[in-house]
Amino acid sequence: MDEQDLLLIEQFNLEFNKGEIYSSSVIKEFLITSKDAKYENPAAYTYNRWNKGMAEIFPLFEWLQRGEYRYLGWNYPFSGYIYHYPQGEIHYAIGEYSNGRFSFYNSEISNFSEWKQSDDDGIRIIGLNSKVTFTSTNGSISQRRKLTNNIDLKDGLINGFDYLYFESKLGQLLMNKRVGDYFIFGNTEYKIEEIN
């Protein structure tokens, strides 16, 4: 870590309060005005949202959902999934943090640079535009849904999948789930069967 990085961490600590939630627009405004910031994209400063276009990991925030970040600060003992969101493609979980230490699901990858150079995308997760099949654990209900950000499409059908607005209660329950994950909607427990 160089002097510029240390100055940037100090600036973040002065501008943001640990544990508080901030919008991407507030963070971006800070990044644009900071002479020490290397990136203007808030996602480049997260523990849990990585992409292969990043030059390095510089984690300070936890990405919560579209446009929302919780400030944690540098060297936080974060625990949770690491997500990869390729532009316009299916979303993936590539690994996990446990008390500030991360590991990849692919045991042949040991660091960020190796992951960037790899073809490994991780494990598919549900995100915007995903097509999801899920069934009730008692086998009585099976649904096929495509998550959309267009609320006007919520009652449509595409290739056998009903549209589902991603900010609906069910849409939010499905977000970031993996095949095999369970969730409860109403009084029924469901299992994620397939993600396309």
mmCIF file of all heavy atoms in Angstrom, residues 33-77:
data_model
loop_
_atom_site.group_PDB
_atom_site.id
_atom_site.type_symbol
_atom_site.label_atom_id
_atom_site.label_comp_id
_atom_site.label_asym_id
_atom_site.label_seq_id
_atom_site.Cartn_x
_atom_site.Cartn_y
_atom_site.Cartn_z
ATOM 1 N N THR A 33 -14.525 14.100 -6.878
ATOM 2 C CA THR A 33 -13.845 15.273 -6.318
ATOM 3 C C THR A 33 -12.535 14.935 -5.607
ATOM 4 O O THR A 33 -11.725 15.825 -5.363
ATOM 5 C CB THR A 33 -14.772 16.023 -5.333
ATOM 6 O OG1 THR A 33 -15.151 15.131 -4.284
ATOM 7 C CG2 THR A 33 -15.997 16.546 -6.051
ATOM 8 N N SER A 34 -12.320 13.662 -5.285
ATOM 9 C CA SER A 34 -11.082 13.275 -4.604
ATOM 10 C C SER A 34 -9.934 13.158 -5.600
ATOM 11 O O SER A 34 -10.037 12.446 -6.588
ATOM 12 C CB SER A 34 -11.266 11.926 -3.897
ATOM 13 O OG SER A 34 -10.023 11.454 -3.421
ATOM 14 N N LYS A 35 -8.833 13.832 -5.316
ATOM 15 C CA LYS A 35 -7.671 13.752 -6.215
ATOM 16 C C LYS A 35 -6.915 12.440 -6.046
ATOM 17 O O LYS A 35 -6.099 12.078 -6.890
ATOM 18 C CB LYS A 35 -6.746 14.940 -6.008
ATOM 19 C CG LYS A 35 -6.139 15.066 -4.629
ATOM 20 C CD LYS A 35 -5.242 16.284 -4.554
ATOM 21 C CE LYS A 35 -4.673 16.642 -3.231
ATOM 22 N NZ LYS A 35 -4.385 15.725 -2.242
ATOM 23 N N ASP A 36 -7.178 11.685 -4.980
ATOM 24 C CA ASP A 36 -6.462 10.437 -4.727
ATOM 25 C C ASP A 36 -7.223 9.189 -5.173
ATOM 26 O O ASP A 36 -6.675 8.096 -5.162
ATOM 27 C CB ASP A 36 -6.127 10.319 -3.238
ATOM 28 C CG ASP A 36 -5.179 11.414 -2.783
ATOM 29 O OD1 ASP A 36 -4.147 11.605 -3.463
ATOM 30 O OD2 ASP A 36 -5.476 12.084 -1.783
ATOM 31 N N ALA A 37 -8.499 9.342 -5.548
ATOM 32 C CA ALA A 37 -9.299 8.186 -5.969
ATOM 33 C C ALA A 37 -8.816 7.666 -7.321
ATOM 34 O O ALA A 37 -8.566 8.442 -8.241
ATOM 35 C CB ALA A 37 -10.768 8.557 -6.044
ATOM 36 N N LYS A 38 -8.677 6.351 -7.424
ATOM 37 C CA LYS A 38 -8.205 5.741 -8.671
ATOM 38 C C LYS A 38 -9.359 5.424 -9.619
ATOM 39 O O LYS A 38 -9.166 5.298 -10.814
ATOM 40 C CB LYS A 38 -7.441 4.461 -8.351
ATOM 41 C CG LYS A 38 -6.188 4.705 -7.538
ATOM 42 C CD LYS A 38 -5.516 3.418 -7.166
ATOM 43 C CE LYS A 38 -4.294 3.679 -6.310
ATOM 44 N NZ LYS A 38 -3.638 2.465 -5.882
ATOM 45 N N TYR A 39 -10.561 5.229 -9.064
ATOM 46 C CA TYR A 39 -11.733 4.854 -9.857
ATOM 47 C C TYR A 39 -12.901 5.743 -9.471
ATOM 48 O O TYR A 39 -12.974 6.230 -8.343
ATOM 49 C CB TYR A 39 -12.133 3.397 -9.593
ATOM 50 C CG TYR A 39 -10.976 2.436 -9.595
ATOM 51 C CD1 TYR A 39 -10.465 1.932 -8.393
ATOM 52 C CD2 TYR A 39 -10.375 2.027 -10.773
ATOM 53 C CE1 TYR A 39 -9.403 1.047 -8.381
ATOM 54 C CE2 TYR A 39 -9.306 1.144 -10.772
ATOM 55 C CZ TYR A 39 -8.823 0.672 -9.572
ATOM 56 O OH TYR A 39 -7.766 -0.188 -9.559
ATOM 57 N N GLU A 40 -13.823 5.933 -10.402
ATOM 58 C CA GLU A 40 -15.031 6.702 -10.111
ATOM 59 C C GLU A 40 -16.235 5.798 -9.871
ATOM 60 O O GLU A 40 -17.312 6.284 -9.562
ATOM 61 C CB GLU A 40 -15.320 7.682 -11.250
ATOM 62 C CG GLU A 40 -14.297 8.785 -11.349
ATOM 63 C CD GLU A 40 -14.597 9.781 -12.444
ATOM 64 O OE1 GLU A 40 -15.656 9.682 -13.098
ATOM 65 O OE2 GLU A 40 -13.751 10.673 -12.662
ATOM 66 N N ASN A 41 -16.055 4.504 -9.990
ATOM 67 C CA ASN A 41 -17.146 3.549 -9.800
ATOM 68 C C ASN A 41 -17.151 3.051 -8.355
ATOM 69 O O ASN A 41 -16.189 2.431 -7.912
ATOM 70 C CB ASN A 41 -16.963 2.375 -10.765
ATOM 71 C CG ASN A 41 -18.053 1.347 -10.644
ATOM 72 O OD1 ASN A 41 -18.941 1.426 -9.804
ATOM 73 N ND2 ASN A 41 -17.992 0.342 -11.491
ATOM 74 N N PRO A 42 -18.231 3.289 -7.590
ATOM 75 C CA PRO A 42 -18.283 2.834 -6.202
ATOM 76 C C PRO A 42 -18.058 1.327 -6.045
ATOM 77 O O PRO A 42 -17.484 0.886 -5.050
ATOM 78 C CB PRO A 42 -19.690 3.225 -5.747
ATOM 79 C CG PRO A 42 -20.060 4.372 -6.619
ATOM 80 C CD PRO A 42 -19.414 4.082 -7.949
ATOM 81 N N ALA A 43 -18.486 0.532 -7.016
ATOM 82 C CA ALA A 43 -18.328 -0.927 -6.918
ATOM 83 C C ALA A 43 -16.854 -1.331 -6.857
ATOM 84 O O ALA A 43 -16.525 -2.400 -6.344
ATOM 85 C CB ALA A 43 -19.016 -1.619 -8.089
ATOM 86 N N ALA A 44 -15.961 -0.485 -7.336
ATOM 87 C CA ALA A 44 -14.529 -0.796 -7.297
ATOM 88 C C ALA A 44 -13.958 -0.724 -5.880
ATOM 89 O O ALA A 44 -12.823 -1.109 -5.657
ATOM 90 C CB ALA A 44 -13.763 0.158 -8.214
ATOM 91 N N TYR A 45 -14.773 -0.258 -4.940
ATOM 92 C CA TYR A 45 -14.325 -0.117 -3.551
ATOM 93 C C TYR A 45 -15.113 -1.042 -2.614
ATOM 94 O O TYR A 45 -15.340 -0.703 -1.460
ATOM 95 C CB TYR A 45 -14.471 1.346 -3.107
ATOM 96 C CG TYR A 45 -13.574 2.275 -3.880
ATOM 97 C CD1 TYR A 45 -14.025 2.901 -5.044
ATOM 98 C CD2 TYR A 45 -12.267 2.501 -3.470
ATOM 99 C CE1 TYR A 45 -13.189 3.743 -5.761
ATOM 100 C CE2 TYR A 45 -11.425 3.334 -4.196
ATOM 101 C CZ TYR A 45 -11.898 3.952 -5.337
ATOM 102 O OH TYR A 45 -11.061 4.777 -6.056
ATOM 103 N N THR A 46 -15.521 -2.189 -3.118
ATOM 104 C CA THR A 46 -16.336 -3.087 -2.299
ATOM 105 C C THR A 46 -15.608 -4.375 -1.930
ATOM 106 O O THR A 46 -14.739 -4.846 -2.657
ATOM 107 C CB THR A 46 -17.643 -3.473 -3.018
ATOM 108 O OG1 THR A 46 -17.320 -4.154 -4.228
ATOM 109 C CG2 THR A 46 -18.500 -2.257 -3.308
ATOM 110 N N TYR A 47 -16.029 -4.933 -0.813
ATOM 111 C CA TYR A 47 -15.538 -6.241 -0.387
ATOM 112 C C TYR A 47 -16.181 -7.347 -1.217
ATOM 113 O O TYR A 47 -15.564 -8.371 -1.477
ATOM 114 C CB TYR A 47 -15.897 -6.491 1.093
ATOM 115 C CG TYR A 47 -15.009 -5.759 2.056
ATOM 116 C CD1 TYR A 47 -15.340 -4.485 2.507
ATOM 117 C CD2 TYR A 47 -13.833 -6.324 2.528
ATOM 118 C CE1 TYR A 47 -14.528 -3.798 3.394
ATOM 119 C CE2 TYR A 47 -13.009 -5.657 3.417
ATOM 120 C CZ TYR A 47 -13.360 -4.394 3.849
ATOM 121 O OH TYR A 47 -12.546 -3.724 4.724
ATOM 122 N N ASN A 48 -17.427 -7.154 -1.614
ATOM 123 C CA ASN A 48 -18.204 -8.272 -2.131
ATOM 124 C C ASN A 48 -18.711 -8.137 -3.561
ATOM 125 O O ASN A 48 -19.526 -8.951 -3.995
ATOM 126 C CB ASN A 48 -19.395 -8.531 -1.198
ATOM 127 C CG ASN A 48 -20.321 -7.338 -1.072
ATOM 128 O OD1 ASN A 48 -19.935 -6.202 -1.299
ATOM 129 N ND2 ASN A 48 -21.552 -7.606 -0.690
ATOM 130 N N ARG A 49 -18.251 -7.181 -4.312
ATOM 131 C CA ARG A 49 -18.655 -7.083 -5.725
ATOM 132 C C ARG A 49 -17.421 -6.788 -6.557
ATOM 133 O O ARG A 49 -16.913 -5.668 -6.551
ATOM 134 C CB ARG A 49 -19.704 -5.992 -5.903
ATOM 135 C CG ARG A 49 -20.253 -5.995 -7.307
ATOM 136 C CD ARG A 49 -21.478 -5.149 -7.446
ATOM 137 N NE ARG A 49 -21.913 -5.182 -8.824
ATOM 138 C CZ ARG A 49 -23.041 -4.689 -9.257
ATOM 139 N NH1 ARG A 49 -23.867 -4.119 -8.423
ATOM 140 N NH2 ARG A 49 -23.355 -4.758 -10.523
ATOM 141 N N TRP A 50 -16.946 -7.794 -7.262
ATOM 142 C CA TRP A 50 -15.713 -7.665 -8.036
ATOM 143 C C TRP A 50 -16.010 -7.848 -9.519
ATOM 144 O O TRP A 50 -16.986 -8.500 -9.899
ATOM 145 C CB TRP A 50 -14.714 -8.736 -7.628
ATOM 146 C CG TRP A 50 -14.229 -8.669 -6.222
ATOM 147 C CD1 TRP A 50 -14.580 -7.771 -5.253
ATOM 148 C CD2 TRP A 50 -13.304 -9.562 -5.612
ATOM 149 N NE1 TRP A 50 -13.923 -8.046 -4.092
ATOM 150 C CE2 TRP A 50 -13.132 -9.145 -4.279
ATOM 151 C CE3 TRP A 50 -12.605 -10.669 -6.063
ATOM 152 C CZ2 TRP A 50 -12.290 -9.803 -3.398
ATOM 153 C CZ3 TRP A 50 -11.763 -11.326 -5.186
ATOM 154 C CH2 TRP A 50 -11.605 -10.880 -3.863
ATOM 155 N N ASN A 51 -15.156 -7.274 -10.351
ATOM 156 C CA ASN A 51 -15.227 -7.576 -11.778
ATOM 157 C C ASN A 51 -13.815 -7.652 -12.330
ATOM 158 O O ASN A 51 -12.861 -7.164 -11.724
ATOM 159 C CB ASN A 51 -16.110 -6.567 -12.527
ATOM 160 C CG ASN A 51 -15.503 -5.191 -12.594
ATOM 161 O OD1 ASN A 51 -14.406 -5.013 -13.107
ATOM 162 N ND2 ASN A 51 -16.206 -4.198 -12.080
ATOM 163 N N LYS A 52 -13.692 -8.278 -13.462
ATOM 164 C CA LYS A 52 -12.370 -8.525 -14.032
ATOM 165 C C LYS A 52 -11.740 -7.286 -14.633
ATOM 166 O O LYS A 52 -10.574 -7.300 -14.988
ATOM 167 C CB LYS A 52 -12.445 -9.668 -15.048
ATOM 168 C CG LYS A 52 -12.742 -10.994 -14.355
ATOM 169 C CD LYS A 52 -12.600 -12.186 -15.258
ATOM 170 C CE LYS A 52 -12.789 -13.460 -14.438
ATOM 171 N NZ LYS A 52 -12.608 -14.672 -15.203
ATOM 172 N N GLY A 53 -12.475 -6.187 -14.708
ATOM 173 C CA GLY A 53 -11.907 -4.937 -15.178
ATOM 174 C C GLY A 53 -11.211 -4.143 -14.078
ATOM 175 O O GLY A 53 -10.541 -3.159 -14.345
ATOM 176 N N MET A 54 -11.358 -4.581 -12.822
ATOM 177 C CA MET A 54 -10.699 -3.894 -11.707
ATOM 178 C C MET A 54 -9.195 -4.169 -11.770
ATOM 179 O O MET A 54 -8.776 -5.256 -12.127
ATOM 180 C CB MET A 54 -11.255 -4.401 -10.369
ATOM 181 C CG MET A 54 -12.708 -4.076 -10.136
ATOM 182 S SD MET A 54 -13.455 -4.962 -8.735
ATOM 183 C CE MET A 54 -12.422 -4.499 -7.366
ATOM 184 N N ALA A 55 -8.398 -3.168 -11.400
ATOM 185 C CA ALA A 55 -6.953 -3.357 -11.374
ATOM 186 C C ALA A 55 -6.504 -4.026 -10.077
ATOM 187 O O ALA A 55 -5.506 -4.734 -10.054
ATOM 188 C CB ALA A 55 -6.249 -2.012 -11.525
ATOM 189 N N GLU A 56 -7.250 -3.779 -9.007
ATOM 190 C CA GLU A 56 -6.900 -4.324 -7.701
ATOM 191 C C GLU A 56 -8.141 -4.341 -6.819
ATOM 192 O O GLU A 56 -9.165 -3.760 -7.164
ATOM 193 C CB GLU A 56 -5.816 -3.475 -7.042
ATOM 194 C CG GLU A 56 -6.268 -2.051 -6.779
ATOM 195 C CD GLU A 56 -5.197 -1.159 -6.183
ATOM 196 O OE1 GLU A 56 -4.208 -1.698 -5.667
ATOM 197 O OE2 GLU A 56 -5.362 0.064 -6.225
ATOM 198 N N ILE A 57 -8.027 -4.975 -5.677
ATOM 199 C CA ILE A 57 -9.090 -4.946 -4.689
ATOM 200 C C ILE A 57 -8.773 -3.807 -3.726
ATOM 201 O O ILE A 57 -7.674 -3.739 -3.175
ATOM 202 C CB ILE A 57 -9.150 -6.266 -3.898
ATOM 203 C CG1 ILE A 57 -9.317 -7.446 -4.837
ATOM 204 C CG2 ILE A 57 -10.279 -6.227 -2.885
ATOM 205 C CD1 ILE A 57 -9.046 -8.774 -4.174
ATOM 206 N N PHE A 58 -9.710 -2.895 -3.531
ATOM 207 C CA PHE A 58 -9.548 -1.799 -2.587
ATOM 208 C C PHE A 58 -10.833 -1.710 -1.772
ATOM 209 O O PHE A 58 -11.640 -0.801 -1.938
ATOM 210 C CB PHE A 58 -9.269 -0.485 -3.330
ATOM 211 C CG PHE A 58 -8.633 0.568 -2.476
ATOM 212 C CD1 PHE A 58 -7.255 0.710 -2.435
ATOM 213 C CD2 PHE A 58 -9.393 1.405 -1.689
ATOM 214 C CE1 PHE A 58 -6.659 1.670 -1.652
ATOM 215 C CE2 PHE A 58 -8.813 2.374 -0.898
ATOM 216 C CZ PHE A 58 -7.442 2.509 -0.880
ATOM 217 N N PRO A 59 -11.089 -2.692 -0.903
ATOM 218 C CA PRO A 59 -12.389 -2.796 -0.231
ATOM 219 C C PRO A 59 -12.586 -1.838 0.934
ATOM 220 O O PRO A 59 -11.767 -1.769 1.847
ATOM 221 C CB PRO A 59 -12.395 -4.248 0.247
ATOM 222 C CG PRO A 59 -10.964 -4.592 0.453
ATOM 223 C CD PRO A 59 -10.205 -3.798 -0.570
ATOM 224 N N LEU A 60 -13.702 -1.112 0.865
ATOM 225 C CA LEU A 60 -14.103 -0.198 1.927
ATOM 226 C C LEU A 60 -15.599 -0.293 2.223
ATOM 227 O O LEU A 60 -16.027 0.054 3.318
ATOM 228 C CB LEU A 60 -13.764 1.248 1.535
ATOM 229 C CG LEU A 60 -12.281 1.561 1.353
ATOM 230 C CD1 LEU A 60 -12.101 2.880 0.623
ATOM 231 C CD2 LEU A 60 -11.581 1.577 2.697
ATOM 232 N N PHE A 61 -16.399 -0.739 1.238
ATOM 233 C CA PHE A 61 -17.847 -0.803 1.365
ATOM 234 C C PHE A 61 -18.345 -2.236 1.194
ATOM 235 O O PHE A 61 -17.692 -3.057 0.562
ATOM 236 C CB PHE A 61 -18.533 0.033 0.264
ATOM 237 C CG PHE A 61 -18.368 1.513 0.419
ATOM 238 C CD1 PHE A 61 -17.288 2.163 -0.141
ATOM 239 C CD2 PHE A 61 -19.313 2.257 1.098
ATOM 240 C CE1 PHE A 61 -17.132 3.537 -0.026
ATOM 241 C CE2 PHE A 61 -19.170 3.636 1.221
ATOM 242 C CZ PHE A 61 -18.074 4.273 0.658
ATOM 243 N N GLU A 62 -19.530 -2.476 1.708
ATOM 244 C CA GLU A 62 -20.271 -3.694 1.388
ATOM 245 C C GLU A 62 -21.369 -3.291 0.409
ATOM 246 O O GLU A 62 -22.172 -2.393 0.702
ATOM 247 C CB GLU A 62 -20.901 -4.291 2.643
ATOM 248 C CG GLU A 62 -21.801 -5.472 2.358
ATOM 249 C CD GLU A 62 -22.557 -5.964 3.575
ATOM 250 O OE1 GLU A 62 -22.582 -5.264 4.600
ATOM 251 O OE2 GLU A 62 -23.137 -7.063 3.487
ATOM 252 N N TRP A 63 -21.380 -3.913 -0.765
ATOM 253 C CA TRP A 63 -22.470 -3.673 -1.712
ATOM 254 C C TRP A 63 -23.703 -4.372 -1.178
ATOM 255 O O TRP A 63 -23.661 -5.562 -0.848
ATOM 256 C CB TRP A 63 -22.084 -4.216 -3.093
ATOM 257 C CG TRP A 63 -23.212 -4.146 -4.076
ATOM 258 C CD1 TRP A 63 -23.664 -3.049 -4.737
ATOM 259 C CD2 TRP A 63 -24.045 -5.225 -4.494
ATOM 260 N NE1 TRP A 63 -24.712 -3.371 -5.554
ATOM 261 C CE2 TRP A 63 -24.977 -4.717 -5.410
ATOM 262 C CE3 TRP A 63 -24.099 -6.580 -4.170
ATOM 263 C CZ2 TRP A 63 -25.943 -5.495 -6.016
ATOM 264 C CZ3 TRP A 63 -25.069 -7.365 -4.778
ATOM 265 C CH2 TRP A 63 -25.964 -6.816 -5.686
ATOM 266 N N LEU A 64 -24.822 -3.642 -1.028
ATOM 267 C CA LEU A 64 -26.049 -4.207 -0.472
ATOM 268 C C LEU A 64 -27.034 -4.595 -1.559
ATOM 269 O O LEU A 64 -27.576 -5.698 -1.547
ATOM 270 C CB LEU A 64 -26.705 -3.212 0.489
ATOM 271 C CG LEU A 64 -25.855 -2.802 1.688
ATOM 272 C CD1 LEU A 64 -26.547 -1.705 2.473
ATOM 273 C CD2 LEU A 64 -25.569 -4.008 2.568
ATOM 274 N N GLN A 65 -27.296 -3.674 -2.454
ATOM 275 C CA GLN A 65 -28.185 -3.894 -3.585
ATOM 276 C C GLN A 65 -27.961 -2.750 -4.557
ATOM 277 O O GLN A 65 -27.170 -1.850 -4.269
ATOM 278 C CB GLN A 65 -29.649 -3.961 -3.143
ATOM 279 C CG GLN A 65 -30.164 -2.674 -2.538
ATOM 280 C CD GLN A 65 -31.613 -2.775 -2.108
ATOM 281 O OE1 GLN A 65 -32.255 -3.796 -2.285
ATOM 282 N NE2 GLN A 65 -32.142 -1.716 -1.536
ATOM 283 N N ARG A 66 -28.663 -2.776 -5.642
ATOM 284 C CA ARG A 66 -28.462 -1.761 -6.676
ATOM 285 C C ARG A 66 -28.489 -0.355 -6.070
ATOM 286 O O ARG A 66 -29.485 0.079 -5.501
ATOM 287 C CB ARG A 66 -29.573 -1.907 -7.714
ATOM 288 C CG ARG A 66 -29.376 -1.083 -8.919
ATOM 289 C CD ARG A 66 -30.434 -1.402 -9.924
ATOM 290 N NE ARG A 66 -30.181 -0.682 -11.153
ATOM 291 C CZ ARG A 66 -30.922 -0.764 -12.207
ATOM 292 N NH1 ARG A 66 -31.968 -1.555 -12.208
ATOM 293 N NH2 ARG A 66 -30.637 -0.093 -13.281
ATOM 294 N N GLY A 67 -27.352 0.342 -6.155
ATOM 295 C CA GLY A 67 -27.266 1.724 -5.711
ATOM 296 C C GLY A 67 -27.084 1.940 -4.223
ATOM 297 O O GLY A 67 -27.128 3.074 -3.768
ATOM 298 N N GLU A 68 -26.875 0.874 -3.431
ATOM 299 C CA GLU A 68 -26.731 1.030 -1.984
ATOM 300 C C GLU A 68 -25.483 0.316 -1.464
ATOM 301 O O GLU A 68 -25.254 -0.848 -1.796
ATOM 302 C CB GLU A 68 -27.941 0.469 -1.244
ATOM 303 C CG GLU A 68 -29.147 1.356 -1.294
ATOM 304 C CD GLU A 68 -30.247 0.873 -0.370
ATOM 305 O OE1 GLU A 68 -30.075 -0.152 0.333
ATOM 306 O OE2 GLU A 68 -31.301 1.518 -0.348
ATOM 307 N N TYR A 69 -24.738 1.046 -0.637
ATOM 308 C CA TYR A 69 -23.487 0.530 -0.083
ATOM 309 C C TYR A 69 -23.396 0.880 1.404
ATOM 310 O O TYR A 69 -23.765 1.989 1.800
ATOM 311 C CB TYR A 69 -22.294 1.154 -0.803
ATOM 312 C CG TYR A 69 -22.250 0.872 -2.282
ATOM 313 C CD1 TYR A 69 -23.000 1.622 -3.177
ATOM 314 C CD2 TYR A 69 -21.451 -0.148 -2.783
ATOM 315 C CE1 TYR A 69 -22.960 1.370 -4.544
ATOM 316 C CE2 TYR A 69 -21.399 -0.405 -4.149
ATOM 317 C CZ TYR A 69 -22.155 0.351 -5.015
ATOM 318 O OH TYR A 69 -22.105 0.096 -6.356
ATOM 319 N N ARG A 70 -22.874 -0.045 2.194
ATOM 320 C CA ARG A 70 -22.614 0.216 3.621
ATOM 321 C C ARG A 70 -21.118 0.443 3.797
ATOM 322 O O ARG A 70 -20.312 -0.373 3.362
ATOM 323 C CB ARG A 70 -23.056 -0.955 4.483
ATOM 324 C CG ARG A 70 -22.738 -0.735 5.978
ATOM 325 C CD ARG A 70 -23.168 -1.903 6.834
ATOM 326 N NE ARG A 70 -24.615 -1.947 6.900
ATOM 327 C CZ ARG A 70 -25.366 -2.973 6.481
ATOM 328 N NH1 ARG A 70 -24.815 -4.056 5.974
ATOM 329 N NH2 ARG A 70 -26.667 -2.939 6.587
ATOM 330 N N TYR A 71 -20.759 1.542 4.446
ATOM 331 C CA TYR A 71 -19.344 1.824 4.669
ATOM 332 C C TYR A 71 -18.828 0.994 5.841
ATOM 333 O O TYR A 71 -19.377 1.033 6.942
ATOM 334 C CB TYR A 71 -19.112 3.316 4.938
ATOM 335 C CG TYR A 71 -17.638 3.638 5.030
ATOM 336 C CD1 TYR A 71 -16.818 3.481 3.924
ATOM 337 C CD2 TYR A 71 -17.070 4.081 6.215
ATOM 338 C CE1 TYR A 71 -15.460 3.758 3.989
ATOM 339 C CE2 TYR A 71 -15.714 4.364 6.288
ATOM 340 C CZ TYR A 71 -14.917 4.190 5.177
ATOM 341 O OH TYR A 71 -13.578 4.457 5.244
ATOM 342 N N LEU A 72 -17.763 0.233 5.595
ATOM 343 C CA LEU A 72 -17.154 -0.616 6.617
ATOM 344 C C LEU A 72 -15.744 -0.162 6.970
ATOM 345 O O LEU A 72 -15.266 -0.421 8.074
ATOM 346 C CB LEU A 72 -17.107 -2.074 6.146
ATOM 347 C CG LEU A 72 -18.440 -2.716 5.785
ATOM 348 C CD1 LEU A 72 -18.227 -4.116 5.250
ATOM 349 C CD2 LEU A 72 -19.378 -2.728 6.985
ATOM 350 N N GLY A 73 -15.064 0.470 6.037
ATOM 351 C CA GLY A 73 -13.692 0.899 6.261
ATOM 352 C C GLY A 73 -12.687 -0.156 5.829
ATOM 353 O O GLY A 73 -13.037 -1.283 5.465
ATOM 354 N N TRP A 74 -11.432 0.235 5.870
ATOM 355 C CA TRP A 74 -10.327 -0.624 5.448
ATOM 356 C C TRP A 74 -10.067 -1.719 6.478
ATOM 357 O O TRP A 74 -10.185 -1.501 7.677
ATOM 358 C CB TRP A 74 -9.079 0.227 5.244
ATOM 359 C CG TRP A 74 -7.899 -0.560 4.775
ATOM 360 C CD1 TRP A 74 -6.853 -0.997 5.524
ATOM 361 C CD2 TRP A 74 -7.673 -1.027 3.440
ATOM 362 N NE1 TRP A 74 -5.978 -1.705 4.733
ATOM 363 C CE2 TRP A 74 -6.451 -1.735 3.446
ATOM 364 C CE3 TRP A 74 -8.367 -0.918 2.243
ATOM 365 C CZ2 TRP A 74 -5.920 -2.325 2.313
ATOM 366 C CZ3 TRP A 74 -7.835 -1.492 1.113
ATOM 367 C CH2 TRP A 74 -6.627 -2.191 1.151
ATOM 368 N N ASN A 75 -9.726 -2.920 5.992
ATOM 369 C CA ASN A 75 -9.316 -4.041 6.838
ATOM 370 C C ASN A 75 -10.420 -4.502 7.785
ATOM 371 O O ASN A 75 -10.160 -4.934 8.904
ATOM 372 C CB ASN A 75 -8.049 -3.677 7.625
ATOM 373 C CG ASN A 75 -7.184 -4.887 7.852
ATOM 374 O OD1 ASN A 75 -7.304 -5.895 7.165
ATOM 375 N ND2 ASN A 75 -6.302 -4.795 8.824
ATOM 376 N N TYR A 76 -11.662 -4.420 7.327
ATOM 377 C CA TYR A 76 -12.816 -4.848 8.122
ATOM 378 C C TYR A 76 -12.899 -6.378 8.106
ATOM 379 O O TYR A 76 -12.640 -7.000 7.077
ATOM 380 C CB TYR A 76 -14.090 -4.243 7.521
ATOM 381 C CG TYR A 76 -15.336 -4.549 8.298
ATOM 382 C CD1 TYR A 76 -15.664 -3.794 9.420
ATOM 383 C CD2 TYR A 76 -16.181 -5.584 7.921
ATOM 384 C CE1 TYR A 76 -16.812 -4.064 10.146
ATOM 385 C CE2 TYR A 76 -17.331 -5.861 8.641
ATOM 386 C CZ TYR A 76 -17.644 -5.107 9.753
ATOM 387 O OH TYR A 76 -18.773 -5.376 10.473
ATOM 388 N N PRO A 77 -13.258 -7.020 9.205
ATOM 389 C CA PRO A 77 -13.369 -8.488 9.231
ATOM 390 C C PRO A 77 -14.665 -8.966 8.558
ATOM 391 O O PRO A 77 -15.505 -9.616 9.170
ATOM 392 C CB PRO A 77 -13.333 -8.812 10.724
ATOM 393 C CG PRO A 77 -13.915 -7.608 11.380
ATOM 394 C CD PRO A 77 -13.477 -6.438 10.535
#
